[in-house]
Amino acid sequence: MAAKGISTIGAASRSLSSSLMAAAKEPDVENLRLIEELTSNVDAVQERVLAEILGRNADAEYLDKCGLDASDTDRATFRAKVPVASYDDLKPYVKRIANGDRSPILSTHPIIEFLTSSGTSAGERKLMPIVTDEMARREVLSSLATSVLNVYVPGLHTGKGLYFLFARSETKTPGGLTAQPALTSVYKSEHFKRRAYAYTSPMAAILCEDASQSMYAQMLCGLCQRHDVLRVGAVFAAALVRAIRFLQLNWAQLAADIETGELNPRVTDPSVREAVAVILRPDAELAEFIDRECSRGDWTGIVTRVWPKTKCLNVVVTGVMAQYILTLQYYSGGLPIVSGMYASSECFFGLNLRPLCGPSEVSYTIMPNTAYFEFLPVGEAVDASNLVELARVEDGREYEVVVTTYAGLNRYRVGDVLCVTGFHNAAPQFRFVRRQSVLLSIEADKTDEAELQRAVERASSALLRRRGASIVEYTSRACTERVPGHFSPALPHWTLAP
């Protein structure tokens, strides 16, 4: 089924075909129609979004200092008066909000929380402001992504997803606002809780801040419901690889718990134990099956062996996560790998409208209703006059993405470098290339993560595979023992191929 799905998706890159629309079910039909409408009217939607943002935030201090008032909602005035901004430019304003200043600083709508960035920009965790209605916009985009996947992989609603999802601890700013990772905010949202029935993991296990207890409980519940699982995933590929590794190390204890129907004492969180007790029952037959499959030492296709109805993997495999593609193909027996959505702490960007495409072909169509988007051509000076609007980017060219959000980030440099790969209707499609600030630099040489990935793949193909070995994951280290200095991959994990 997977191979057939992959072979029929090429025509959908320009518009969703009538056959796909006809096969869709409500409410997916309405969502697909919305995608077609938005992508056919990109420039008009972007103009409306910018006018809305500027109109509602006209009384905010930041825009006032830029010289804008309530009547200045057009693009020309915006481009002339509002500068391109980095996080350092906005940090004084963000700090005041975090310290308790409730005046309209960046936005006239109250900031309800901060989302913390992942720390990929020079290791610094940034605070991204969020307003109440931002969550609704993110829920809409998530719903659109679900509808697209439902069309290409029918029947997913009839089963469950085994997703390994992990919440992290939240903190409070001096002014009392919550600061937490974007994914943690999603997991704690009412929208996610309403959809908890679609996952094998109970909410208590996902929200448990002890990663070890959370992983154990999620894997155990996934095994108990193995015949209900139609998709397996995590947010990033690394997390799914580590979940399979966790099964390799802990299958015997998991089987023992299933045989007795008693949860291991290593899980001490009362809410997790209570939630797992609803699912876990004595099942000697399942325990014997796990013992038989996992004791063989052969982990080829383990995903479909343990969860036989699985139709796809759902993980991000773009950027640095590309290093895990071969490992996931090995564990899954070649299931399609879906990278469905492109999002960040700043805002949600867009969708992969060809979810069953090969991992190297993943491109995202930016939805023009989520924020106002501009693009700085790579290699050009950081100047407001150099920015290009969403509808006017050029095919094949690389850009750094710049966003203006409803929460008050104005012409903010996200730091992601994207390459235009084509168009869906009038909407450009982008391949994620790299983080702008993530470069290896030594002896005046600049190497980005994509180049490092290609170097590792070439070395693996030439040196390891012929010896029956493959790389599971890697990092890099600086070698300065000889001149000129250089970087080399450090390989913390490798395996013998079957």
Side-chain angles (χ1 to χ4, degrees), residues 363-407:
S363 291
Y364 300 100
T365 305
I366 289 184
M367 293 292 106
N369 60 329
T370 58
Y372 185 70
F373 299 99
E374 296 174 280
F375 298 85
L376 177 65
V378 170
E380 294 192 10
V382 181
D383 186 277
S385 63
N386 288 335
L387 267 60
V388 179
E389 293 159 355
L390 177 61
R392 293 171 176 81
V393 296
E394 299 176 17
D395 194 4
R397 189 157 188 184
E398 291 187 358
Y399 298 89
E400 180 185 351
V401 63
V402 177
V403 298
T404 296
T405 71
Y406 286 86

Side-chain angles (χ1 to χ4, degrees), residues 59 69 112 120 123 125 170 255 259 304-305 314 334 342 418 423:
D59 294 330
D69 58 36
I112 60 170
T120 56
R125 289 193 177 275
E170 65 179 50
E259 183 175 19
T304 48
R305 283 159 44 196
N314 201 177
Y342 171 34
L418 311 177
F423 293 83

Side-chain angles (χ1 to χ4, degrees), residues 115 128 138 182 342-349 403 414 416 435:
L115 301 184
M128 297 299 162
R138 298 184 179 212
Y342 171 34
S344 74
S345 302
E346 292 85 355
C347 70
F348 279 24
F349 293 87
V403 298
V414 175
D416 289 357
R435 289 287 297 170

